[in-house]
Amino acid sequence: MARLATGATATLVGLALAHPAGAAELVIEQVTVVSPQLAAAQPKQNVLVRDGRIVSVSSKPVSAAAGAVRLDGRGKFLTPGLMDSHVHVGDVPGFPGGADADPAMGAIRDAYVRQQPRSYLYYGVTQVVNLLSTPDAAAAFEAQPQHPDFYRCAATFVLDGYPSVFIEDKAIRYRAMPDFIYEPASAAEHPLPAGMDAAQHTPEAVIGKLAESGVRCIKIFIENGFGPASDWPVMSKETLQRVRAETRKRGLLLLAHANAIDMQRLAVEAQVDVIAHGLWNWNEYSTDQGVPPAIATHLREIHAKKIGFQSTLRVIAGLADLFREDTLKDPAYAKVVPPSLLAWYATPAGQWFKEEVRKGLGGVPDMKAMHTYMVISSYGMRATKYLSDLGHPLLLGSDTPSAPTFGNQPGYDTYREMRMMAQSGVPLPAIFRAGTINNARQFGLDKEYGTVETGKVANLLLLTANPLETMRAWTSIDRVILRGSVIKRESLAAPRE
Ligand SMILES: [Zn+2]
């Protein structure tokens, strides 16, 4: 909880600067409370917030200190702030690696770094879990004056496996990444680089080191390749067992990147806590409609074993959006993307990833590429609906950005993830729980977040529509309340540069 304390201090400093002295109390009057622990929306409630926490929720009038901030809640809905449990704060969407060495590109990156946390808040995301980025990127995110409460995972992977290995221009390349696990079993093909000590790359040593950095979860990658590549090394069953044992011993959640049926089966077998992707690669079980028995059996096992599940539908949709003619003209983009970055996306240089992806698809035209990804998306959507129909408590995780695509944008993608869950057939109350209490419980943060209740952190949203009745509620945010500090939504939009 040391991290939380740090974040809280920073936010309270911001609060003190943003409001005159004595305004540490907030009363939201005559508001309709919508919260996961309530069977129905509760009208005419008065909510008292002091020092960043909810002190009381009651139908009776509350007495607040003189100088308390008062919000008229009549005709409005008060909900917990959203939590996105799968983000990557280090990556500028659409930037090629190393691009920011150029000063002009560096300036664009800086504008993004300033806006990113505000874009999350603009869409009501008041808590994020960062799964893998550099420590510098995490620090830059937390250094911004307004930012969602920030939680971190660390990641480990097998030497020469994903994401150390990647494909560029159809060639296999490797990134230098320090926290790998060495598989002695694959030593013949992937020898330990010279000068490295195998003893520092056992599951126990790597997880021990990562645990000491104050993370609350460990993410592993169960990925043997994309498209034609399907022979990248993955962790052996023995290594997976040791990773599971060590994370349990240290009280860390274990998350798995896996989006193909064979990879997700390994994740289930390894008893991971959370599968950090939807299931859109059905391999030999691919079919135009419905959910075949093999896929259904796997999804039922996820449900029976209470494994957390992030659908991350925006991963594939964010690729489809590369080829959608109106993506950059979407008015929401102007709200969450700095103008300099938005302008760069429209240049030939800004289209590099689109062209790379097109090449990977055999040079097809835009419509065909978009269609390809929409078909892949439909698998993930069917799997999501199947789990939802089982009553599985889904987790809201957008994986922003999941690739260097301008189709993924902070905050807006969290909203679009929810919208795709709705399009998949997930009922609105289940989507609401996915973004609030389910995420809070899964990450051990339900004492702090997830409901509008006494004692919880006052990360709240004042909406002009009821999110249990319409998705429009999430685009009709009136105020974002961050640790008791009231922020007008429009003030969080990207400034004109
Ligand atoms: Zn991710």
Side-chain angles (χ1 to χ4, degrees):
M1 299 307 283
R3 297 277 139 195
L4 175 65
T6 312
T9 311
T11 313
L12 287 171
V13 170
L15 176 88
L17 293 172
H19 290 282
E25 276 197 358
L26 164 69
V27 191
I28 308 151
E29 296 171 303
Q30 297 293 300
V31 74
T32 298
V33 171
V34 181
S35 183
Q37 88 283 11
L38 302 171
Q42 244 171 30
K44 296 186 179 171
Q45 298 294 298
N46 298 306
V47 178
L48 176 63
V49 171
R50 186 179 300 135
D51 297 331
R53 287 202 183 248
I54 300 171
V55 174
S56 64
V57 182
S58 160
S59 56
K60 300 192 187 91
V62 292
S63 54
V69 173
R70 289 180 179 273
L71 272 184
D72 183 357
R74 280 175 297 178
K76 301 212 167 79
F77 300 84
L78 189 72
T79 72
L82 293 169
M83 176 164 163
D84 189 332
S85 57
H86 191 156
V87 307
H88 299 280
V89 302
D91 303 311
V92 183
F95 257 37
D100 44 7
D102 171 74
M105 294 294 278
I108 295 176
R109 178 209 53 213
D110 292 347
Y112 175 80
V113 168
R114 284 193 299 273
Q115 178 57 32
Q116 174 179 221
R118 293 155 45 83
S119 294
Y120 279 110
L121 293 170
Y122 184 85
Y123 275 97
V125 180
T126 54
Q127 301 90 241
V128 295
V129 182
N130 189 46
L131 310 187
L132 185 59
S133 73
T134 63
D136 286 357
F141 188 89
E142 288 200 278
Q144 300 308 312
Q146 292 172 312
H147 62 81
D149 292 350
F150 186 79
Y151 295 92
R152 287 183 305 133
C153 278
T156 183
F157 44 90
V158 58
L159 174 67
D160 291 358
Y162 180 76
S164 165
V165 60
F166 67 107
I167 300 174
E168 194 174 64
D169 294 332
K170 296 196 174 170
I172 297 255
R173 296 182 201 281
Y174 300 95
R175 291 181 187 92
M177 298 179 81
D179 301 318
F180 66 85
I181 289 172
Y182 177 57
E183 282 280 3
S186 61
E189 248 189 291
H190 305 278
L192 191 68
M196 293 218 170
D197 177 3
Q200 286 178 15
H201 292 279
T202 63
E204 295 76 16
V206 171
I207 289 163
K209 180 188 148 202
L210 295 174
E212 277 159 30
S213 69
V215 295
R216 65 177 48 234
C217 35
I218 298 287
K219 183 186 181 188
I220 56 170
F221 297 84
I222 310 182
E223 178 63 69
N224 65 357
F226 304 109
S230 61
D231 54 354
W232 297 345
V234 292
M235 284 180 195
S236 64
K237 288 184 183 175
E238 194 224 323
T239 298
L240 283 169
Q241 275 174 14
R242 285 168 66 183
V243 165
R244 178 67 278 189
E246 193 62 24
T247 46
R248 278 217 176 98
K249 189 176 126 191
R250 294 180 176 273
L252 294 168
L253 282 181
L254 180 60
L255 278 64
H257 159 109
N259 53 49
I261 178 65
D262 50 342
M263 300 293 109
Q264 286 206 358
R265 276 179 172 150
L266 289 175
V268 170
E269 205 178 311
Q271 300 180 301
V272 302
D273 297 302
V274 176
I275 294 178
H277 281 300
L279 176 60
W280 53 76
N281 288 323
W282 293 9
N283 299 348
E284 67 267 35
Y285 309 110
S286 299
T287 168
D288 287 349
Q289 48 187 315
V291 175
I295 300 292
T297 301
H298 167 71
L299 294 171
R300 280 201 300 273
E301 204 176 340
I302 286 174
H303 180 57
K305 292 189 168 161
K306 298 186 163 53
I307 295 173
F309 191 88
Q310 300 173 334
S311 294
T312 63
L313 296 164
R314 285 301 302 166
V315 172
I316 301 300
L319 297 173
D321 284 354
L322 284 170
F323 298 95
R324 204 179 289 278
E325 140 181 70
D326 54 0
T327 297
L328 299 176
K329 295 178 202 137
D330 181 341
Y333 266 53
K335 302 292 188 184
V336 296
V337 184
S340 56
L341 179 57
L342 193 51
W344 179 76
Y345 286 152
T347 65
Q351 304 277 312
W352 73 276
F353 188 63
K354 173 179 176 175
E355 294 315 318
E356 189 163 294
V357 171
R358 189 201 303 283
K359 243 191 281 168
L361 294 172
V364 296
D366 284 8
M367 288 301 277
K368 172 79 180 143
M370 191 171 80
H371 179 75
T372 299
Y373 286 115
M374 286 175 76
V375 169
I376 299 172
S377 238
S378 82
Y379 288 94
M381 292 171 82
R382 276 179 271 161
T384 298
K385 164 139 172 55
Y386 192 90
L387 273 175
S388 173
D389 288 350
L390 290 175
H392 195 65
L394 298 167
L395 306 174
L396 175 62
S398 64
D399 193 9
T400 306
S402 51
T405 165
F406 54 70
N408 294 145
Q409 295 297 338
Y412 190 35
D413 255 38
T414 312
Y415 162 69
R416 288 189 287 187
E417 180 72 26
M418 291 196 293
R419 195 170 62 184
M420 284 191 76
M421 290 168 84
Q423 286 161 349
S424 305
V426 181
L428 296 184
I431 296 172
F432 181 57
R433 288 193 297 273
T436 54
I437 191 65
N438 295 355
N439 259 340
R441 271 195 197 128
Q442 181 71 66
F443 286 85
L445 293 165
D446 48 327
K447 283 205 173 70
E448 307 287 324
Y449 310 106
T451 60
V452 182
E453 280 184 290
T454 300
K456 299 239 176 158
V457 173
N459 283 1
L460 304 165
L461 307 176
L462 197 59
L463 310 174
T464 59
N466 182 347
L468 302 180
E469 291 172 359
T470 171
M471 272 307 292
R472 197 168 40 78
W474 301 114
T475 54
S476 74
I477 299 171
D478 178 65
R479 295 284 195 285
V480 177
I481 299 162
L482 190 60
R483 295 188 169 264
S485 177
V486 180
I487 308 168
K488 281 186 185 161
R489 187 196 194 202
E490 275 311 310
S491 76
L492 295 162
R496 310 292 88 205
E497 285 163 357

